[in-house]
Amino acid sequence: MNKLPLLENINKNILNKIAKSYGEKKTIYEHTKEVLEVYDNFFKEYPNSFNKEEKELIYLACLYHDLGKANILFQNKVANNKNDAIDESEIHHGFLSPLFLPEKEIENNYSLEVLKILSTSIFYHHTREYTKKDIEYVNYAKEYIGKPFSITSSFFPRDGLLLKYPGTNKYISDNIYGLYFKIKGMLNKFDYTASSGYLISELKNKNIEITNKIKNKFQESKLTDMQKYALNNSNKNLILIGSTGSGKTESSLLWLNKDKGFYTLPLKVASNAIYKRIKESYASPEKDSIALLHSDSFEVLKDNDIKYEEYKQMKLLNSPLTICTVDQIFKFPFKALGQEIYAATLSYSKVIIDEIQMYSPLILACILTGLKIIVNNGGKFLITTATFPKFLENKLAEVIGEENYEIKSFIKEDEIKRHWIKIINNDFDYEKIVSSSKDKKILVICNIVSKSVEVYRKLKELKAEKVHLLHARFIKKDREELEKNIKSFAESNEVGIWITTQLVEASLDIDFDELHTEIAPADSLIQRFGRCYRKREYKKEEPNIFIYHNNSKNFIYDEKLLELTLEKLQKYDNKLLTEMEKIKYLNSVYDEEVLKKRTVKYIELLEEKLANFKDIIPFSYDNKEIQDLFRDINTINVIPDSIYAENEEEISNLIDKIVDKKISAKDRYEARRTLLKFTVPVYKINDNENEIKAKGEKIGIFKVPGNYSKETGFERTKEDEDRFI
C-alpha cells in the first residue's frame, strides 16, 4: 500500500474498549500497540525475512486482528471480569475482526485474492471452528457491532474467506497457501508473544559464537573436509554423507553459521544428548541461547534452570537454535489450522535433519514435503547422515528438485577399518557372548522387547556377570537412569554386557567392543554397527560384529526387506566391511527397481504418502488427527498395576492436580510431567475401560495389568495379551 494505516487512525471508541479483563486489564489499543511493537522488534532483528508486500500484510493483520472485541456482548462479559469463554449466543471476536478491514483500499492496492487471504488469517487467528449460519453472523454483526460502530465492509464468512473450517473442500496453489501461512503464522507469533507479556518474539541470535568456538577448538586449518565444506557452503541447501563419528554435529553447526536454526533428530534421547553437548561445548553461556523441544523436554530444561515461563517462550520458537524431534515443527505439511506459525518461522530459518533415513514412510513423506515448502518460501535445509540410500536421493530430487540442493559424500576408501562381520543362521551364541564379556564391552541388540528380556534371562542363567537390560518398556524414571548408566559404562574401563533394542540405533553416542545383533534392514544394521568401534580402528582379523538370522518373531520390519538385506549381505560374510563397501551394500539393498520387484512395501507406501501430501486440502486435518498420524506408532502411556499400587498416594495426588482448574496451568503441566515418569509406552489396547479418570475427565493414561520390575521392565501377562493390538 502507498500508505499503511496507523493504529492512531482507528476509531478511538473501538480502541478504548477492553481487550481482556483477566490478569492486567488492557484496552484494545494497548494490546494492539504491544503486538505492533513486537512486529517492529522482529523486523529490526530479521529485516530481510519477508518481502515488502508480505511485511505490509502481516502489519495489517496485527493492526486489525482484535477489533472484533469491540462488540457489545464481549464488552459486557469483560466488564463482569469473565474470561474469554464463549457461550452459544456469542460469536468469537476473531470471526468479527475482519469486518473492520478497509476492504476496498486493500483490494485496490493488492487484489481481491489477497484481501481474502488477509481476512482468513485474521478470522482464524484463534484456532476455532466456525459453525454459524450466514444469517446468524449478519444479524449478530448488526446487533452487536453495527449499532455502536460504522461498518463499511461487505465481508461475510462464506464470501470473504479463502478457506473455510470446517467444511473446506478447496485446493489452493502452493503460492497462495504460502502467503496465507506467512501472514497468519507471524500474526500468531507476535500476538502470542505480546499476550505472554513479552515484546521480543526472537531472542538475540548468538549462533555465530558457536561457529567461532568450533573454529577455535579444532583450529580452522584442522577442520575435516566435511566441516570445511559445510562452513563454506552455508548459504546452500546441502546433503552431507559421512561415516559415524566423522564430526557431523560440528559440520551441521558450522553450516548454521550465524542464522536462526532448528536441529531435528529422530528420538528424544538423541535430542537430549545433542542439546547437552552443544550447550556444554559451544553455546553462549546465556541460558536462552539454545532451546530443547520434545514431549518431555521440560524435565531436561528444569535441570538446566529453565523456568516454566521461559519454556513456554521456547515453544513459540523464539530461540536462535532449537534442538527438537521432528514432530515438534514438521506437522505443517498437513496444512491444519494452527500449524501456520511453524511454516512461517521455518521460512526464514535453517533446518538440520539428522539421519533422515530413520523415519517411516509417512513421516519421511511429511519431511520431504515440508522441505519443499521451506525451500519455496525462503528457508534452507541441511541433511546429515551416515547412510543415504539411492531411492531416497531419487525421491528428494523428485520432490524438491535436484537444482535446489547439493549432495556430497565424505566417505573415502582409506577411512579407518572398524567392522568385521559374521553372519550366523541361528539364535544368539550365548556362550560366545558370556566368554567375550570377561574382557570386553558387549552390546546385544534385539528387534523386539520380549526377545531382549529372553536374552537377558538366558545370560543370567549362564552366570554372566554385569548383565544390563535397556528397552522402551521401562517406566520413564527408570529408563532415564538406565540411559545414563549405559553411557557412563561405555565411557568407562568396565567390561560386561548391555542388552537393548533398536532404540540405540540413532539415540545414544556409545562405543562397545563387540556387537551381537538380530538381522534388521540394511540402514538399521549400519546404524547398529556405529555403536561398536565408533571412532577407533579395528586391527584384528576376526569378527567384532555378529549378525544373527534366528527366525524369531518379527513385528516391526518388512519380511521381504529382511530377506533382501540378508541376501545382499552374504558376499561380505566373515570379511572386513569398509565404509565405502557399506554404501555399496546399502544401495544394492535399496535399489528402487529391486525393491519393487521384491514387492517390498516401503517404496510403495512412501510414494502413496507423497501423493497424498501433494494433493492435500487445507484444514482437512485437525491437530489431534495429525498427532496420532505423525507418531506413526499407535502407542499409549500406561501405568502397570504394580507401579500404581507402590505409588498410589503420589499418583492419585498428581491425577487430581492435572484436572484442578483452580491451580495454575504451570502446576497442572508439571503434575502431568511428573505422572508420566510412572508410565510405559505400549501398543494401544482394544478397549478404553482402563483409562484413568479424575472428576469424570479422562487424562489419556491407562492403568493396565502386567508385571513390572526395575530389572526387566513391563511385561504383559499372557492371559491379557489378546487385549493388546
Side-chain angles (χ1 to χ4, degrees):
M1 292 175 75
N2 295 329
K3 191 173 182 182
L4 289 170
L6 302 174
L7 180 59
E8 286 69 22
N9 300 146
I10 306 293
N11 185 316
K12 296 293 186 294
N13 289 328
I14 296 174
L15 294 178
N16 289 334
K17 298 297 179 186
I18 300 298
K20 66 173 187 174
S21 61
Y22 50 93
E24 182 187 354
K25 230 175 201 182
K26 284 187 179 175
T27 62
I28 295 172
Y29 174 85
E30 289 169 329
H31 172 65
T32 307
K33 187 172 184 293
E34 288 174 347
V35 174
L36 292 173
E37 192 170 341
V38 177
Y39 169 96
D40 288 336
N41 289 334
F42 172 83
F43 283 108
K44 286 175 186 173
E45 186 73 16
Y46 291 90
N48 302 315
S49 52
F50 298 95
N51 65 36
K52 181 175 180 292
E53 180 176 301
E54 290 165 349
K55 287 180 185 177
E56 291 175 354
L57 294 170
I58 294 167
Y59 172 85
L60 290 171
C62 293
L63 183 64
Y64 288 95
H65 80 285
D66 257 4
L67 299 193
K69 287 182 175 178
N71 79 83
I72 296 171
L73 217 58
F74 181 88
Q75 289 302 308
N76 288 343
K77 185 172 62 177
V78 294
N80 293 314
N81 290 318
K82 293 182 179 178
N83 62 22
D84 198 17
I86 301 292
D87 61 35
E88 288 184 8
S89 63
E90 187 178 355
I91 291 180
H92 189 268
H93 74 268
F95 300 146
L96 301 169
S97 293
L99 288 167
F100 294 88
L101 286 170
E103 193 175 79
K104 293 298 180 187
E105 190 178 353
I106 292 170
E107 186 178 343
N108 291 338
N109 280 277
Y110 303 103
S111 68
L112 176 60
E113 191 165 50
V114 167
L115 173 63
K116 288 189 173 188
I117 294 170
L118 181 58
S119 298
T120 305
S121 301
I122 296 172
F123 192 89
Y124 291 119
H125 77 272
H126 290 283
T127 303
R128 293 179 184 269
E129 288 189 7
Y130 179 80
T131 55
K132 298 288 186 184
K133 295 177 182 177
D134 282 355
I135 189 64
E136 294 178 85
Y137 185 91
V138 172
N139 291 338
Y140 189 96
K142 288 178 179 177
E143 179 72 18
Y144 298 112
I145 298 180
K147 286 184 178 178
F149 308 121
S150 174
I151 296 173
T152 57
S153 172
S154 61
F155 173 92
F156 291 110
R158 301 299 170 187
D159 299 325
L161 292 181
L162 176 72
L163 299 162
K164 305 178 185 72
Y165 178 72
T168 290
N169 58 0
K170 179 181 178 184
Y171 177 82
I172 59 173
S173 71
D174 291 343
N175 288 340
I176 296 300
Y177 186 76
L179 181 56
Y180 158 75
F181 76 60
K182 287 177 181 178
I183 298 170
K184 182 178 181 293
M186 297 312 293
L187 168 59
N188 285 152
K189 192 179 186 78
F190 300 154
D191 187 22
Y192 296 161
T193 299
S195 296
S196 299
Y198 298 90
L199 295 175
I200 302 292
S201 64
E202 289 288 357
L203 298 174
K204 188 71 178 174
N205 195 327
K206 305 179 181 73
N207 286 342
I208 192 64
E209 294 182 27
I210 295 176
T211 301
N212 291 334
K213 283 183 181 179
I214 293 172
K215 286 181 182 178
N216 291 336
K217 179 178 178 179
F218 293 96
Q219 298 180 10
E220 192 165 352
S221 60
K222 293 183 180 179
L223 293 174
T224 67
D225 289 344
M226 180 190 285
Q227 291 164 348
K228 289 176 185 174
Y229 187 85
L231 179 61
N232 294 333
N233 292 277
S234 62
N235 62 331
K236 298 176 182 176
N237 300 311
L238 300 178
I239 300 164
L240 304 182
I241 305 166
S243 57
T244 304
S246 62
K248 293 194 294 294
T249 301
E250 284 75 16
S251 298
S252 299
L253 296 172
L254 288 167
W255 172 80
L256 184 63
N257 207 357
K258 64 183 183 302
D259 298 308
K260 178 180 176 67
F262 294 84
Y263 196 133
T264 71
L265 296 110
L267 298 168
K268 289 182 284 188
V269 64
S271 302
N272 293 344
I274 290 291
Y275 170 78
K276 182 180 178 184
R277 181 177 169 194
I278 295 173
K279 188 170 183 61
E280 291 178 354
S281 301
Y282 303 124
S284 174
E286 290 88 348
K287 62 182 178 179
D288 61 8
S289 65
I290 179 172
L292 177 68
L293 289 181
H294 56 65
S295 58
D296 295 324
S297 59
F298 186 51
E299 293 304 312
V300 181
L301 293 166
K302 276 204 305 184
D303 293 340
N304 286 271
D305 237 9
I306 303 296
K307 296 179 174 61
Y308 180 71
E309 289 302 317
E310 293 166 329
Y311 169 65
K312 281 173 66 179
Q313 286 298 295
M314 286 181 179
K315 293 186 76 172
L316 293 179
L317 315 179
N318 71 346
S319 299
L321 174 58
T322 299
I323 314 299
C324 59
T325 49
V326 290
D327 63 301
Q328 295 296 306
I329 61 169
F330 258 99
K331 291 180 282 194
F332 67 87
F334 284 97
K335 298 183 179 176
L337 187 60
Q339 289 295 316
E340 299 88 353
I341 188 173
Y342 302 99
T345 302
L346 289 171
S347 73
Y348 60 88
S349 306
K350 288 179 172 179
V351 61
I352 298 160
I353 311 290
D354 191 43
E355 303 298 352
I356 192 171
Q357 79 292 336
M358 295 289 292
Y359 297 101
S360 68
L362 172 65
I363 297 178
L364 182 54
C366 190
I367 292 171
L368 294 181
T369 305
L371 292 180
K372 178 185 178 182
I373 293 170
I374 290 168
V375 169
N376 288 347
N377 287 280
K380 288 188 170 59
F381 73 86
L382 166 69
I383 295 171
T384 59
T385 180
T387 58
F388 198 67
K390 190 68 179 177
F391 86 88
L392 189 50
E393 184 180 337
N394 294 339
K395 291 302 168 196
L396 198 71
E398 184 183 307
V399 174
I400 299 174
E402 57 188 338
E403 71 279 4
N404 290 316
Y405 61 85
E406 291 184 6
I407 181 168
K408 192 169 180 65
S409 174
F410 292 88
I411 295 175
K412 302 173 184 177
E413 285 284 4
D414 60 353
E415 285 204 33
I416 62 171
K417 311 300 188 289
R418 301 184 296 145
H419 303 130
W420 188 305
I421 72 166
K422 182 173 179 58
I423 302 169
I424 299 173
N425 293 311
N426 210 328
D427 195 11
F428 287 106
D429 187 342
Y430 297 100
E431 298 286 352
K432 165 68 176 170
I433 293 170
V434 172
S435 174
S436 294
S437 70
K438 292 176 181 176
D439 60 359
K440 295 175 187 172
K441 299 179 193 293
I442 309 300
L443 181 63
V444 180
I445 303 181
C446 304
N447 292 340
I448 60 175
V449 171
S450 59
K451 181 65 179 178
S452 70
V453 175
E454 176 192 317
V455 171
Y456 174 80
R457 287 189 170 128
K458 284 188 177 179
L459 290 172
K460 293 290 280 186
E461 287 171 8
L462 291 172
K463 309 296 183 187
E465 297 180 12
K466 297 182 181 177
V467 186
H468 312 273
L469 178 63
L470 167 64
H471 54 66
R473 214 159 286 163
F474 285 93
I475 62 172
K476 292 191 178 183
K477 64 178 184 176
D478 289 346
R479 179 172 159 179
E480 287 168 3
E481 184 180 349
L482 288 167
E483 286 170 354
K484 288 179 185 175
N485 291 345
I486 192 173
K487 284 191 279 188
S488 61
F489 173 87
E491 293 166 1
S492 72
N493 293 321
E494 289 185 68
V495 296
I497 306 165
W498 274 86
I499 304 144
T500 183
T501 58
Q502 73 272 19
L503 66 86
V504 300
E505 286 175 18
S507 61
L508 298 173
D509 187 358
I510 52 177
D511 188 6
F512 280 68
D513 300 320
E514 192 169 289
L515 170 67
H516 295 255
T517 174
E518 288 188 286
I519 188 70
D523 55 318
S524 293
L525 275 185
I526 292 173
Q527 289 291 333
R528 293 179 186 190
F529 294 173
R531 312 302 142 200
C532 176
Y533 271 79
R534 187 167 175 80
K535 298 176 183 177
R536 300 171 287 160
E537 185 164 10
Y538 187 66
K539 297 181 179 179
K540 295 182 180 179
E541 294 188 0
E542 60 185 41
N544 62 344
I545 306 280
F546 297 85
I547 303 161
Y548 296 86
H549 179 231
N550 53 18
N551 294 312
S552 64
K553 287 182 180 179
N554 172 58
F555 302 111
I556 57 174
Y557 299 125
D558 186 305
E559 290 288 356
K560 293 188 177 180
L561 181 57
L562 289 182
E563 289 172 10
L564 186 58
T565 295
L566 189 62
E567 177 187 309
K568 299 293 184 181
L569 193 63
Q570 295 296 334
K571 67 182 287 188
Y572 303 104
D573 187 24
N574 208 25
K575 292 180 181 177
L576 193 70
L577 188 61
T578 67
E579 299 304 308
M580 286 296 289
E581 283 169 333
K582 287 176 191 173
I583 298 300
K584 291 174 186 175
Y585 163 61
L586 186 74
N587 286 330
S588 71
V589 173
Y590 285 103
D591 180 282
E592 199 163 346
E593 292 305 314
V594 172
L595 290 171
K596 286 179 178 178
K597 283 179 185 176
R598 300 289 281 269
T599 62
V600 173
K601 293 178 182 177
Y602 192 98
I603 298 289
E604 181 184 326
L605 284 171
L606 178 58
E607 289 177 344
E608 176 190 319
K609 302 302 181 187
L610 283 169
N612 291 345
F613 279 111
K614 190 175 181 182
D615 298 325
I616 209 162
I617 294 171
F619 300 177
S620 56
Y621 288 90
D622 64 34
N623 287 301
K624 185 180 184 308
E625 287 175 311
I626 297 171
Q627 190 65 20
D628 291 342
L629 285 168
F630 205 86
R631 293 197 184 283
D632 208 40
I633 180 167
N634 207 8
T635 62
I636 56 170
N637 286 312
V638 305
I639 303 176
D641 276 343
S642 58
I643 293 295
Y644 199 101
E646 288 171 20
N647 304 275
E648 186 168 3
E649 185 177 352
E650 183 178 0
I651 289 172
S652 296
N653 288 336
L654 290 168
I655 290 169
D656 288 342
K657 282 186 178 180
I658 287 170
V659 296
D660 187 355
K661 299 299 191 292
K662 293 178 182 177
I663 65 175
S664 68
K666 173 189 174 183
D667 289 341
R668 294 198 303 272
Y669 183 88
E670 291 197 5
R672 176 172 284 276
R673 292 289 113 216
T674 305
L675 181 62
L676 286 173
K677 286 185 174 290
F678 296 102
T679 66
V680 174
V682 300
Y683 287 103
K684 190 172 182 179
I685 54 178
N686 287 319
D687 61 75
N688 294 325
E689 63 186 35
N690 286 7
E691 187 168 4
I692 296 170
K693 294 179 183 177
K695 298 178 182 177
E697 184 179 333
K698 294 179 179 179
I699 64 169
I701 296 173
F702 294 71
K703 178 171 170 282
V704 298
N707 300 315
Y708 184 86
S709 73
K710 288 194 72 167
E711 186 181 14
T712 57
F714 175 58
E715 297 177 78
R716 301 164 180 165
T717 57
K718 288 184 179 179
E719 57 271 21
D720 196 54
E721 190 70 29
D722 62 349
R723 294 182 58 251
F724 292 85
I725 297 173

